């Protein structure tokens, strides 16, 4: 499965919009500084004339011209930085602005797609706009323990600590998480918190509800014309930096689902790629619903976080109604 030309063009337009927006902002900043610090504008203008003068000297055979140019430009830059800091601005206030410093808002690093391009591609391909809505609401900044007490609170605090460690250690070690327990206790919320943090770090996060994941796999698997789409889809869900499977157990479980789930978990384990699963099933229900191989794979290679307590979504709904 690949981007259509329309989808690709849409992503390219976004980069062009980012470049134009940041260029306008930089020009506004520059005019602001020029009005406040006339000497800064003079120093900026001097860069071109200084470079031209030394270029002429170099063409005339002056072998010291290049060293002289470097020295004068360094002095000029130091003076401009000093003027900014004296006026209360950061030294890099007039440096080029980028949403993604890694690719400088081009979408590519050399000939390879940047992680920011890849995430936009993933979002378009798998219709994951829902994850953006989810992480805008569900993040560590909005986390609250007000709905928990006693053992429920201890379990939630433990799950939060494990989630933070998952993010902190993501680039250093292979790890997986299983959030399980009663309905509405924060399992999807913590998955969203982790997704938000890793997306901000440039990791490729693929999010699916269990129903959506297996429906997509079935659609491609049983369509003889979709072999390439199936291959590309499996490649992505096997190799993405993080795959989140939300609400496992809500799908219609059968031999196909069980087989595909094992393949996904096994392939990602072999590649040492992180997976997060959330489910309302108990461990006993998971063992009964899925194969022993799947249950063993999860209990052996995942950190298990049990969450219990009241249904927070229901509680909030009732509270807002009052």
């Amino acid at each position: 499965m690949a981007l259509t030309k329309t989808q690709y063009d849409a992503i390219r337009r976004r980069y062009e919009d980012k470049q134009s927006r940041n260029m306008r902002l930089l020009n506004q900043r520059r005019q602001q500084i020029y009005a406040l610090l006339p000497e800064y504008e003079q120093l900026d203008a001097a860069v071109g004339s200084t470079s031209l003068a030394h270029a002429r000297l170099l063409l005339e055979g002056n072998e010291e011209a290049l060293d002289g140019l470097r020295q004068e430009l360094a002095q000029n830059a130091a003076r401009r930085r000093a003027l900014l800091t004296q006026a209360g601005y950061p030294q890099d206030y007039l440096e080029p602005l980028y949403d993604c410093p890694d690719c400088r808002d081009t979408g590519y690093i050399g000939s390879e797609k940047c992680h920011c391009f890849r995430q936009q591609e993933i979002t378009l391909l798998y219709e994951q706009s829902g994850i953006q809505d989810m992480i805008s609401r569900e993040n560590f900044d909005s986390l609250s323990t007000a709905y928990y007490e006693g053992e429920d609170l201890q379990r939630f605090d433990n799950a939060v600590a494990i989630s933070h460690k998952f993010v902190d250690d993501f680039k250093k070690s292979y790890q997986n998480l299983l959030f399980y327990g009663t309905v509405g206790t924060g399992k999807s919320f913590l998955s969203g918190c982790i997704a938000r943090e890793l997306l901000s770090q440039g990791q490729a996060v693929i999010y699916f509800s269990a129903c959506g994941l297996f429906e997509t796999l079935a659609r491609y698997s049983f369509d003889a014309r979709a072999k390439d789409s199936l291959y590309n889809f499996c490649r992505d869900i096997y190799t993405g930096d993080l795959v989140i499977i939300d609400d496992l157990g809500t799908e219609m479980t059968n031999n196909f689902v069980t087989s595909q789930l094992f393949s996904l978990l096994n392939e990602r384990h072999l590649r040492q790629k992180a997976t997060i699963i959330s489910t309302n099933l108990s461990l006993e229900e998971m063992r009964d619903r899925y194969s022993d191989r799947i249950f063993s794979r999860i209990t052996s290679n995942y950190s298990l976080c049990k969450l219990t307590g009241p249904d927070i979504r229901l509680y909030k709904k009732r509270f807002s109604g009052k």
Side-chain angles (χ1 to χ4, degrees):
M1 183 166 49
L3 291 177
T4 64
K5 184 179 184 303
T6 300
Q7 290 173 321
Y8 181 84
D9 289 344
I11 293 178
R12 295 306 310 162
R13 282 194 297 272
R14 290 175 193 169
Y15 281 106
E16 292 169 1
D17 291 343
K18 291 176 184 178
Q19 293 167 6
S20 298
R21 183 193 70 231
N22 288 332
M23 183 63 72
R24 286 194 302 271
L25 179 56
L26 182 60
N27 286 334
Q28 290 170 3
R29 289 184 174 187
R30 183 174 291 110
Q31 295 307 313
Q32 173 192 14
I33 294 300
Y34 285 175
L36 181 66
L37 304 170
E39 183 183 351
Y40 193 102
E41 183 176 8
Q42 294 168 8
L43 289 168
D44 246 2
V47 170
S49 58
T50 298
S51 299
L52 181 59
H54 282 78
R56 288 172 178 166
L57 291 174
L58 189 61
L59 290 173
E60 293 171 0
N62 187 334
E63 296 180 356
E64 298 179 355
L66 187 57
D67 289 337
L69 173 62
R70 289 171 178 161
Q71 183 177 359
E72 286 195 38
L73 291 180
Q75 292 172 348
N76 182 304
R79 179 56 185 158
R80 281 182 289 156
R81 289 194 297 269
L83 286 172
L84 287 175
T85 55
Q86 289 167 8
Y89 294 91
Q91 291 185 356
D92 62 353
Y93 189 65
L94 294 182
E95 293 296 318
L97 301 170
Y98 304 111
D99 285 17
C100 178
D102 294 335
C103 69
R104 299 187 175 186
D105 293 342
T106 64
Y108 284 81
I109 301 175
S111 60
E112 298 293 325
K113 291 177 183 176
C114 182
H115 56 79
C116 63
F117 189 105
R118 183 63 184 130
Q119 187 58 49
Q120 291 185 76
E121 191 175 38
I122 287 171
T123 300
L124 281 175
L125 288 176
Y126 307 134
E127 300 179 348
Q128 293 185 108
S129 57
I131 193 175
Q132 300 300 331
D133 295 334
M134 179 181 74
I135 64 177
S136 68
R137 302 185 307 270
E138 301 175 354
N139 54 76
F140 286 122
D141 292 335
S142 62
L143 184 149
S144 172
T145 60
Y147 306 100
Y148 304 90
E149 58 184 18
E151 186 178 24
D152 298 336
L153 177 58
Q154 293 177 4
R155 285 174 170 164
F156 185 72
D157 283 340
N158 179 63
V160 171
I162 290 174
S163 298
H164 277 297
K165 190 174 188 303
F166 185 93
V167 171
D168 293 341
D169 295 345
F170 190 80
K171 295 180 181 179
K172 297 181 290 186
S173 61
Y174 165 61
Q175 51 191 333
N176 305 293
L177 289 178
L178 171 70
F179 293 118
Y180 72 103
T182 51
V183 175
T185 49
K187 300 180 294 294
S188 297
F189 176 89
L190 290 176
S191 297
C193 291
I194 293 170
R196 178 188 174 96
E197 294 299 314
L198 294 180
L199 283 168
S200 70
Q201 295 177 17
Q203 305 298 325
V205 178
I206 301 178
Y207 168 88
F208 272 105
S209 68
C211 290
L213 172 63
F214 295 116
E215 284 174 3
T216 302
L217 281 167
R219 185 167 68 249
Y220 293 142
S221 296
F222 299 119
D223 184 348
R225 298 166 298 178
K227 290 183 179 179
D228 289 342
S229 295
L230 177 62
Y231 172 83
N232 291 324
F233 180 72
C234 289
R235 179 199 60 198
D236 289 339
I237 62 174
Y238 290 168
T239 63
D241 296 327
L242 173 64
V243 165
I244 298 175
I245 306 173
D246 197 24
D247 277 340
L248 184 68
T250 56
E251 77 286 350
M252 183 69 70
T253 307
N254 51 38
N255 289 337
F256 173 81
V257 167
T258 300
S259 173
Q260 293 298 321
L261 178 59
F262 178 77
S263 294
L264 172 58
L265 301 184
N266 189 57
E267 290 293 336
R268 290 190 63 78
H269 175 64
L270 292 175
R271 290 170 169 79
Q272 302 283 280
K273 293 294 185 178
T275 307
I276 296 177
I277 298 172
S278 72
T279 180
N280 295 328
L281 300 174
S282 68
L283 293 180
E284 292 76 12
E285 289 171 329
M286 287 187 66
R287 182 189 59 208
D288 294 341
R289 180 182 287 252
Y290 303 104
S291 68
D292 289 338
R293 292 191 305 169
I294 290 175
F295 185 72
S296 175
R297 180 68 74 207
I298 292 174
T299 54
S300 299
N301 300 304
Y302 284 61
S303 295
L304 308 182
C305 298
K306 184 176 183 179
L307 294 171
T308 56
D311 185 337
I312 296 172
R313 289 188 291 264
L314 183 60
Y315 182 90
K316 287 182 176 180
K317 184 177 181 180
R318 288 177 177 173
F319 185 79
S320 63
K322 293 179 181 179

